[in-house]
Amino acid sequence: MADSHHTDPSPRGPLLARQRRTGPGSASPGRHASVVIVGAGFAGLGTAIRLLQEGHRDLLILERADEVGGTWRDNAYPGCACDVPSRLYSFSFAPDPTWSRRFAPQEEIERYLKRCVARYDLTPRLRLGCELQRATWDPERLRWDLDISTGPLSAGLLVMAQGPLSESAIPSLPGLEDFTGAAFHSAGWRHDLDLSEMRVGVIGTGASAVQFIPHLQRTARQVTVFQRTPSWVAPRRDRPVPAWQRRLFRLAPPVQRLARGREYLVREATLPALLGNRTMAAPGRRGGAGPSAPPGRGS
């Protein structure tokens, strides 16, 4: 996703209300755009769509990669899927009745985002392979001066939508630079490696590791997991979406909206437990969730 290595803060002054609304057309590098959005993942695309729906036509989306999708483009490790139900993890204004599972796999979410680009005609306003390198606020002209990989650009409003996961965090482990085997982050999975005869070490037991470790145990010769802090794990209860339900959602969109609303309320009700309310967390513990023990070795 798009990056900004040096961004100077701006005052709170100019907002969208002060931006000029223009007719349809594609903003291009080397000119001024009323709104520039950095990143073409969920946040960037959703922002662009909403702005277009409200009449803000003069906008540009910068994306340093060659395709849209953000984290759902970059993460393609085995078992990669969403841990939020699909009908909730999608734009409220663009429900999708075709999800194959309750928790959609990575490739389906990536396809969904690309369909949104086509459906809302974002392509003319997308600049792929275009990286933001510097952004400086000009208080005299009330605009952002942007240095991007394809040339200069200015913007009345700059929206940073590159997301916190756009840069992989590689720990500074002693001896890592001398390690002679293959080493990679889960966000840059090496699909060209045959792991069937390898001993694999996994560092961390976060959301990604929980998904790909079971696949590693079925394929690698040996798996060792290094865990610093035990995490709480609850059953995901994933299942295929029946064909009759997909057909119903397609023929009766209000039914899907009601199902999404119910999912939203159920998920929101669990927030106090996630924030540390022990009373509300107790049913989850009784239901089978518990701290994961270090998996150690598996085959």
Side-chain angles (χ1 to χ4, degrees), residues 18-36:
R18 301 181 61 182
Q19 303 305 318
R20 179 184 177 187
R21 295 186 181 189
T22 64
S26 60
S28 59
R31 57 150 292 186
H32 178 84
S34 294
V35 182
V36 170

Side-chain angles (χ1 to χ4, degrees), residues 58-139:
D58 186 25
L59 62 87
L60 184 65
I61 309 168
L62 307 182
E63 170 56 60
R64 71 180 179 185
D66 294 328
E67 293 183 7
V68 303
T71 189
W72 298 107
R73 173 201 61 233
D74 296 338
N75 287 270
Y77 54 79
C80 184
C82 191
D83 52 9
V84 175
S86 307
R87 59 191 176 203
L88 183 58
Y89 194 83
S90 51
F91 295 128
S92 60
F93 51 81
D96 187 351
T98 66
W99 297 118
S100 67
R101 305 191 64 83
R102 185 165 183 256
F103 296 90
Q106 170 264 333
E107 59 270 16
E108 284 192 31
I109 301 174
E110 185 180 15
R111 288 197 300 267
Y112 168 78
L113 289 174
K114 291 180 178 179
R115 288 199 302 272
C116 287
V117 169
R119 176 178 176 181
Y120 294 98
D121 195 26
L122 296 181
T123 301
R125 295 173 172 84
L126 270 171
R127 289 296 175 269
L128 302 176
C130 185
E131 182 177 12
L132 174 62
Q133 299 168 332
R134 182 185 177 92
T136 306
W137 175 250
D138 186 336

